[in-house]
Amino acid sequence: MQRFVIVKKGVYLDSIRLMKATEEAKKIPKVKNAFLSLGTEANKKLMSELGFLTEEARKAGPDDLIIAIEMDEKGEGAAVIREVEALIFSSKTKGTQEYASVEDAILSLRPNLAVISLPGDQAVDVAEDMIMKGINVHLFSDHVSLKDEVRLKKLANEKNLLLLGPGAGTTIIGGKGICFANEVEKGDIGLVASAGTGLQEIISILDSLSLGVSHAFGVGGSDLSKEVGGIMTKKCIEALNSDPSTKILCIIAKQHSREVVSEIASYCSKVRKKTFACFLGVEDNLGLENSETLHACAVKIAKEKGESKQFFSFKEILSNAESLSSKLQKERIFIRGVYSGGTLAHESFLILSKLGIRAYSNTSYEKRYLLQNPLKSIGNSIIDMGDEFFTQGRAHPMIDSTLKILRMKNEIKDRRVAVLMFDVILGYGVSDDPAGEIADTIEQVNGPVLLCRLVGTKKDRQGLERQKKKLEDSGIAVCRSNAEMAVLACLIATRCRVERKVEKLWVRLFGL
Amino acid sequence: MGYERLLKEELRVLNIGLENFYIALVQQNVKVVNVRPRQRRKIERELEEALEKLL
């Protein structure tokens, strides 16, 4: 193994461009690892963890570009460095239609949707400007205050526009995905979600049942809070109710106020179309076929559509758990989850709780189960790496998985861990090889069982089957839904002691 | 323009921020233009400072 670290003084490039070039550099033959960054203190700390922090790199400043490459012994360093430099300086998208001014861009296209992913404090003004100009908004940015969210949503509502977000990860309009989105078959199911990866998860499960989507709206995680009152959830339900291509409605929520959920349920009773829901954490039906997991919700929709395919039986999941836990050492008893998707993390947290396994989380709504230090797991822990704590000053883990992979490696090192659950999300907006990034770097010998929920559709550009094979070839068990992964993790960690609870809750967990 | 037209008309997107999302729309043959935010360098600095506090 040989390492090359080169510092280019006074060469400044933005972090997204460098991250993309890093991913491309890793694909060069004989390159084992790459890290292209500016010499900020934070980046130097990461370089230190990756073994790249040479004396020269240590002296680099925030205006200096650092090129760090790890290669096979046989690779020729100079040629590879030239190739990497070419990647860095030519990474601008071919044929980009780029404008320095919003006004010029609007004149050139007359857009009907603005997608905003600026840092929160700047995003608010830009979003307001778009609404005032009569343009619908998909606001990906987080770090927007509830007060601003309420103000923007009221303004959009007055103007009969959509303000999706803040923190809206996914929207699909007529099959076209905004931000993180899967390639879907056209269908007649319309979805509204205050849960980005929840939307991707249910769309992927529906896809595996050969069911397509008309439109899917991500309204942001706080839309069903008491303060916001579901303004945009209602607006999107109204939109889908009047859309002729939508026959079935589905509403998904992660974080919500019970009062607002009841109000939405009552609002849905006026809808002319069959409506399903998955309000995570709500166990009653609310008069609209509410499910406790996304898996159960998808299966109920499939039944409504006359599709009764069963993913797996209780016996099959039990047999898998017995087989996967057979070689685990006795002291390995804890479950750890490292997620990019907040909804999936929350769903797992709830499933563990239903099965009598208490877990800590960095996003728990119950203070006593909130991890005091999100950087360090204790006991059973579920970590949402997309939480604002981790994304402040850093791209979301679905764009840059560096921190997520480091966290996974740390969890694997813990000798008390029986199972490590994680998600890999395919589709638009994420890297070309999300499974490969993990499969190529995670090593576990005599370690915990590794379970992955691969969220993706058959038409996703990365190739669902190819991605699955990469994970399986690395000894990772790939699950058919997040609910299956969480249940399997509980069975493995307890050596099937929760078998009866799983059997008793089977219909609530899996809908069949 | 109301939201109804968004579902009926061809999608035309103004992307302000991450180039990743612009590329994703181009890959889907969506009509899209990209706005490169002003003060990008200043934003990058602020983001890096925030990350330094976390690590």
Side-chain angles (χ1 to χ4, degrees):
Chain A
M1 202 73 74
Q2 29 174 3
R3 286 198 172 113
F4 298 92
V5 179
I6 294 167
V7 176
K8 291 192 171 284
K9 287 272 176 198
V11 178
Y12 179 90
L13 291 160
D14 74 68
S15 57
I16 296 287
R17 178 175 295 194
L18 288 172
M19 189 206 71
K20 287 165 71 67
T22 298
E23 292 313 311
E24 289 301 313
K26 286 178 187 170
K27 292 177 194 160
I28 297 172
K30 301 199 170 144
V31 169
K32 288 283 180 194
N33 201 2
F35 192 75
L36 314 176
S37 67
L38 297 172
T40 63
E41 288 309 311
N43 284 332
K44 285 192 272 189
K45 278 180 190 167
L46 277 175
M47 287 182 74
S48 172
E49 292 216 31
L50 295 168
F52 280 134
L53 193 61
T54 59
E55 196 47 43
E56 194 190 3
R58 202 184 300 276
K59 288 178 190 162
D63 284 330
D64 303 330
L65 171 67
I66 306 175
I67 301 172
I69 306 287
E70 185 177 290
M71 294 172 53
D72 281 348
E73 286 296 345
K74 291 173 188 168
E76 200 210 317
V80 169
I81 296 290
R82 276 198 300 276
E83 210 173 326
V84 171
E85 285 180 351
L87 279 173
I88 295 170
F89 297 108
S90 65
S91 64
K92 195 166 182 282
T93 318
K94 282 176 194 166
T96 303
Q97 280 206 52
E98 192 170 280
Y99 293 83
S101 116
V102 168
E103 285 70 24
D104 289 346
I106 290 174
L107 276 175
S108 85
L109 186 71
R110 301 178 65 79
N112 45 22
L113 180 72
V115 177
I116 302 169
S117 52
L118 298 169
D121 56 343
Q122 296 163 53
V124 172
D125 290 345
V126 177
E128 184 169 356
D129 187 32
M130 292 298 115
I131 296 166
M132 295 309 289
K133 288 181 163 73
I135 300 169
N136 297 284
V137 173
H138 179 107
L139 185 53
F140 175 80
S141 316
D142 46 19
H143 303 281
V144 171
S145 72
L146 261 180
K147 194 177 157 194
D148 280 332
E149 179 173 349
V150 172
R151 188 172 59 79
L152 289 174
K153 283 185 168 170
K154 282 186 176 167
L155 185 65
N157 199 30
E158 279 168 21
K159 296 188 174 291
N160 202 29
L161 294 167
L162 299 182
L163 184 287
L164 305 167
T170 303
T171 282
I172 297 172
I173 298 173
K176 305 294 186 188
I178 311 295
C179 296
F180 302 128
N182 303 93
E183 179 89 39
V184 294
E185 293 286 353
K186 278 203 168 177
D188 59 9
I189 302 163
L191 301 109
V192 184
S194 57
T197 43
L199 199 49
Q200 291 192 273
E201 166 77 350
I202 197 161
I203 284 170
S204 300
I205 301 172
L206 289 169
D207 182 79
S208 67
L209 293 163
S210 307
L211 296 173
V213 166
S214 55
H215 309 284
F217 299 106
V219 293
S222 303
D223 195 68
L224 295 186
S225 65
K226 199 174 170 184
E227 293 82 354
V228 184
I231 299 173
M232 278 301 140
T233 300
K234 289 179 199 164
K235 195 89 187 158
C236 292
I237 292 171
E238 184 186 309
L240 292 172
N241 194 32
S242 56
D243 171 47
S245 66
T246 302
K247 307 285 183 222
I248 288 177
L249 259 65
C250 178
I251 301 143
I252 304 160
K254 175 178 67 165
Q255 191 178 2
H256 45 71
S257 134
R258 186 56 200 248
E259 265 175 51
V260 179
V261 162
S262 300
E263 199 184 318
I264 295 293
S266 158
Y267 187 82
C268 286
S269 65
K270 296 170 201 155
V271 167
R272 300 185 303 271
K273 300 171 182 177
K274 179 78 179 175
T275 306
F276 294 83
C278 178
F279 295 116
L280 289 173
V282 176
E283 293 188 354
D284 50 50
N285 211 19
L286 299 169
L288 45 68
E289 289 286 358
N290 182 46
S291 299
E292 291 178 45
T293 68
L294 295 157
H295 183 128
C297 188
V299 166
K300 283 184 193 171
I301 294 172
K303 275 162 90 176
E304 175 72 17
K305 300 278 296 171
E307 172 63 69
S308 57
K309 178 180 159 189
Q310 194 162 356
F311 284 90
F312 44 77
S313 65
F314 172 67
K315 277 187 183 169
E316 186 192 335
I317 201 169
L318 194 61
S319 160
N320 281 349
E322 281 167 350
S323 158
L324 288 165
S325 60
S326 62
K327 287 177 188 165
L328 274 180
Q329 292 142 310
K330 271 186 186 173
E331 68 269 25
R332 292 192 175 276
I333 55 169
F334 291 130
I335 298 170
R336 298 279 162 82
V338 179
Y339 282 93
S340 306
T343 310
L344 304 187
H346 185 56
E347 184 183 52
S348 292
F349 180 84
L350 293 172
I351 291 173
L352 262 62
S353 171
K354 283 179 208 296
L355 296 176
I357 296 173
R358 289 312 325 188
Y360 294 89
S361 169
N362 60 325
T363 54
S364 171
Y365 305 139
E366 286 183 66
K367 270 190 181 172
R368 61 189 164 145
Y369 298 116
L370 190 64
L371 273 179
Q372 293 305 309
N373 179 1
L375 299 171
K376 191 167 171 49
S377 300
I378 47 170
N380 302 299
S381 286
I382 308 288
I383 312 300
D384 170 12
M385 298 295 294
D387 180 57
E388 292 190 356
F389 176 86
F390 293 106
T391 58
Q392 194 163 25
R394 185 128 204 120
H396 191 279
M398 279 161 68
I399 298 174
D400 179 3
S401 58
T402 311
L403 285 183
K404 182 183 173 189
I405 291 173
L406 283 172
R407 182 60 175 256
M408 288 171 63
K409 285 182 173 175
N410 283 340
E411 303 296 355
I412 289 170
K413 279 183 206 159
D414 187 336
R415 288 169 177 271
R416 301 272 282 162
V417 174
V419 190
L420 173 64
M421 305 187 285
F422 63 95
D423 55 354
V424 169
I425 303 189
L426 307 184
Y428 293 108
V430 299
S431 83
D432 294 336
D433 185 17
E437 284 168 16
I438 287 178
D440 295 345
T441 50
I442 293 293
E443 287 174 21
Q444 62 100 12
V445 181
N446 298 324
V449 174
L450 302 182
L451 300 180
C452 173
R453 167 59 184 148
L454 180 62
V455 178
T457 63
K458 292 188 279 289
K459 286 170 80 177
D460 272 334
R461 63 194 189 92
Q462 294 90 349
L464 182 62
E465 286 306 314
R466 281 199 306 277
Q467 292 283 297
K468 186 178 173 214
K469 189 172 183 307
K470 280 191 181 186
L471 293 162
E472 287 176 341
D473 287 350
S474 299
I476 298 162
V478 179
C479 299
R480 289 154 286 194
S481 71
N482 185 58
E484 183 200 9
M485 178 161 76
V487 169
L488 196 53
C490 292
L491 287 164
I492 292 168
T494 63
R495 313 311 193 256
C496 298
R497 279 198 309 278
V498 293
E499 174 188 344
R500 283 192 183 167
K501 282 185 184 166
V502 172
E503 194 172 17
K504 198 176 159 193
L505 292 175
W506 189 259
V507 175
R508 283 167 58 188
L509 293 168
F510 298 112
L512 272 177
Chain B
M1 177 193 295
Y3 72 83
E4 295 94 341
R5 287 172 65 183
L6 181 65
L7 304 191
K8 288 175 189 162
E9 291 179 349
E10 184 183 19
L11 192 60
R12 298 185 305 276
V13 179
L14 176 63
N15 184 64
I16 310 170
L18 296 176
E19 198 181 30
N20 246 31
F21 297 146
Y22 168 77
I23 294 166
L25 289 159
V26 170
Q27 285 168 338
Q28 298 173 82
N29 297 317
V30 172
K31 283 187 177 169
V32 54
V33 291
N34 197 40
V35 176
R36 188 163 283 269
R38 293 168 187 149
Q39 296 183 303
R40 191 159 181 139
R41 194 180 175 102
K42 181 173 171 278
I43 297 161
E44 289 284 327
R45 282 277 166 76
E46 286 168 4
L47 289 173
E48 290 299 340
E49 278 168 21
L51 177 60
E52 278 161 22
K53 282 179 200 161
L54 280 176
L55 288 172

